[in-house]
Amino acid sequence: MKVAVLPGDGIGPEITAQAVRVLKALGNQGLAIELESAPVGGTAFDLSGDPLPAATIAVCESADAILFGSVGGPQYDTLPRAQRPEQGLLRLRKHFDLFANLRPAIVYPELAHASTLKPEVVAGLDLLILRELTGDIYFGQPRGVRTNEAGEREGFDTMRYTESEIRRIAHTAFQAARKRSGRVCSVDKANVLETTQFWRDVVTDVHKEYTDIALSHMYVDNAAMQLIRNPKQFDVIVTGNMFGDILSDEASMLTGSIGMLPSASLNAKGFGLYEPIHGSAPDIAGKGLANPLATILSTAMMLRYSLNQPAAADRVEAAVRKVLAQGLRTADIAESGRPTVGTQAMGDAVLAALG
Ligand code: NAD
């Protein structure tokens, strides 16, 4: 197994260093994982004038998965759009056709205080939002601003999904549910939008191949409400690009701790890019304060979804649970006035908990 490690900018190198230590520890215990690093984002731009150099793409192509830190920083904000750090990430998604975005929202009992919701509503929450990432109204043509027949200017976009696009994300959802509690809720607006009635019909058809999985459907307005009212009713939520954009941010904030949340973006072959959902945190970069747990948990997702090592994934997640139970906290997840540890010490604790 080979993993391309792309640390990126800001806190990216600090947090990926801790995840790499975890992978190396698993390697020492018998898991054959080769690691190769390559620059991306602003760091790559500084070195070569390109946020995604051809050599970095080549390293990723030779790998089974990408471990990605974060990109961006204020020093790059005035660059032309094509040279900006985030283009490195967007081009990687496009190059590898990463159409399925998996974002778990987990609330560890010890961190339930960090949520703005009541602890009893969120404690123990473990849901997965699966967002289609390459279709929908964000990419549909035609789009633009025109003058209509009445002589008034109007803006327009096109919501569009092909059957094959819906089928592949539905398969991903049912297969992900098999690795969890076996329930999928498909979110749409089938009462109003033709495209999403079609979405519902196709998801229902694909479900015939997964009789072991329970499928339900929910309108997006109700889903937005239910996520706040009773989020623990969900296991896997699958939805289109626009609804997923909004619901995944809503779900991540149920946890209240951005430094804890991993993500995966997968293609049809199971190749994936794994990254924390947070950015490069320039305000704390280089200070050894960043929480590495979202990146370490992204590594666990990589072991589960791309490297097919569920036992190793379970071990990494159990190690994270253990350090939280032991009371270790980086500043972002600590209750005020309580002692905190830095990035390296948190990595040390996870390694010790791995055994
Ligand atoms: P951010 O997620 O970087 O930071 C928001 C806040 O959360 C900051 O106060 C930061 O210190 C804190 N934070 C984030 N991650 C943390 C961690 N692991 N541990 C402790 N605290 C953490 O968002 P932002 O400030 O809006 O953006 C900063 C830069 O990151 C921008 O250049 C933006 O474009 C980029 N960005 C990149 C990605 C990505 O690489 N996928 C995603 C979002 C933002």
Side-chain angles (χ1 to χ4, degrees), residues 11 68 70-73 89 258-259 275 278-284 290-291 332:
I11 59 170
F68 191 95
S70 54
V71 291
L89 182 56
I258 198 171
E275 57 170 337
H278 59 71
S280 58
D283 51 334
I284 56 168
N291 184 348
D332 57 307

Side-chain angles (χ1 to χ4, degrees), residues 13 111 220 223 259 262 326 329-330 333 339:
L111 301 183
V220 63
Q326 287 166 347
R329 303 282 185 271
T330 44
I333 53 172

Side-chain angles (χ1 to χ4, degrees), residues 43-200:
T43 311
F45 174 80
D46 290 341
L47 288 168
S48 66
D50 184 350
L52 186 64
T56 295
I57 297 178
V59 170
C60 296
E61 278 178 343
S62 72
D64 301 295
I66 302 169
L67 178 63
F68 191 95
S70 54
V71 291
Q75 67 272 45
Y76 306 111
D77 285 351
T78 51
L79 285 173
R81 191 159 297 280
Q83 293 168 353
R84 295 227 188 122
E86 52 270 30
Q87 288 301 316
L89 182 56
L90 296 176
R91 282 167 53 199
L92 273 174
R93 284 184 184 154
K94 196 166 176 182
H95 184 86
F96 289 102
D97 197 14
L98 304 174
F99 69 88
N101 185 229
L102 284 71
R103 275 174 52 166
I106 295 175
V107 176
Y108 299 91
E110 300 87 352
L111 301 183
H113 66 85
S115 175
T116 50
L117 297 191
K118 291 182 187 137
E120 63 268 27
V121 175
V122 293
L125 175 73
D126 181 0
L127 77 85
L128 176 70
I129 301 242
L130 180 51
R131 166 189 172 193
E132 202 289 332
L133 206 54
T134 54
D136 205 352
I137 195 164
Y138 289 1
F139 294 96
Q141 295 289 344
R143 59 195 289 155
V145 178
R146 64 188 168 202
T147 302
N148 66 19
E149 285 168 4
E152 187 183 5
R153 286 200 311 147
E154 65 180 14
F156 61 101
D157 294 274
T158 304
M159 178 175 270
R160 188 186 293 267
Y161 263 121
T162 62
E163 183 169 349
S164 58
E165 285 174 320
I166 303 169
R167 281 191 177 277
R168 65 181 184 175
I169 193 82
H171 279 292
T172 310
F174 293 126
Q175 284 162 19
R178 270 196 181 142
K179 298 181 181 189
R180 299 171 48 92
S181 305
R183 288 180 294 119
V184 171
C185 177
S186 172
V187 170
D188 58 44
K189 189 74 183 168
N191 49 343
V192 177
L193 296 168
E194 299 295 335
T195 311
T196 73
Q197 177 63 58
F198 181 57
W199 170 284
R200 184 178 284 218

